[in-house]
Each structure stands twice: as structure tokens, then as C-alpha cells.
Amino acid sequence: MNATELYERMKKVQEPKGYFFSNNNERVMELLEALLLNKERYGYMVCPCRLASGNRDNDRDIICPCEYREPDVAEFGSCYCNLYVSKEWNEGKIDQEYVPERRPPEKMFF
């Protein structure tokens, strides 16, 4: 699978749930390629914007889409990586603010 195929597959699943890819297509493709690289590296598509441990149980919360996506998009209009965004984010109807890290520090250091 390549990034374009992953894009089409994920778009079909996520858009009906109200999660859209950012309209920064270059950034989206970089993130999707990194997800595919992480799948090769770890065996699962762990968030490319966070440090993975390589232990699926430890990384469960950051397997894309991560468990922080929903609250991030609800509060900021975008997930931490800016991969998934709200329709309003893409339309410029809300400020595109920095999304702070929600992952607890104890999960980041293993």
C-alpha cells in the first residue's frame, strides 16, 4: 500500500465520522507515508508525531487514529499532528491554533 491508497481508504472511513484530512495535502501525504513507515517498523500505524516505544501495549493510545484525536478536534478543530481536522478548520472558520500534547508524560517515557 502507498500513501495515496491509504489516503483513499482512511478518507472513506473517517469523513462519515466528521474527521477530515487537512487541506494541506503535502503535509497529509508526509504523515501518511510516515504512518506506513511506522507500520513497517513496528507492525502497526503509530502516530508519526510522537515517540513510539515499539511495544504495542504501551503505544495503544497513539495508534492512528489516536485516542486523543476526538478531544483535540472537538477543542481545537485539529488533532495534534494536523492530519485530522474538522470541516471548519479546513474552511478557515476557526483559528488554526497550536494543539498541545494531551498524552500523559508517563506514557512518553518508557
Side-chain angles (χ1 to χ4, degrees):
M1 178 182 309
N2 63 36
T4 302
E5 293 167 330
L6 182 60
Y7 177 93
E8 292 303 324
R9 182 179 291 180
M10 292 173 77
K11 181 178 176 173
K12 287 178 191 174
V13 173
Q14 300 304 325
E15 281 191 2
K17 297 177 184 179
Y19 298 102
F20 300 86
F21 284 125
S22 167
N23 55 14
N24 181 341
N25 197 11
E26 184 178 337
R27 171 82 172 145
V28 167
M29 287 301 160
E30 288 172 359
L31 290 167
L32 293 176
E33 287 171 11
L35 281 170
L36 291 170
L37 179 63
N38 282 345
K39 183 169 183 169
E40 286 178 30
R41 185 179 290 151
Y42 302 113
Y44 49 95
M45 288 195 301
V46 67
C47 177
C49 301
R50 295 178 166 107
L51 184 60
S53 70
N55 178 308
R56 189 181 185 99
D57 288 335
N58 291 346
D59 295 339
R60 190 168 306 284
D61 63 319
I62 58 170
I63 294 174
C64 189
C66 74
E67 68 181 47
Y68 310 105
R69 176 188 70 171
E70 186 175 335
D72 284 351
V73 173
E75 184 173 350
F76 299 100
S78 171
C79 71
Y80 181 69
C81 296
N82 303 132
L83 177 63
Y84 289 109
V85 301
S86 67
K87 188 175 180 184
E88 293 79 16
W89 169 281
N90 271 341
E91 292 173 350
K93 293 181 179 177
I94 59 173
D95 290 337
Q96 295 185 356
E97 300 178 43
Y98 169 76
V99 179
E101 175 65 271
R102 287 183 192 266
R103 193 173 196 215
E106 61 272 11
K107 290 197 168 213
M108 290 187 234
F109 305 104
F110 30 86

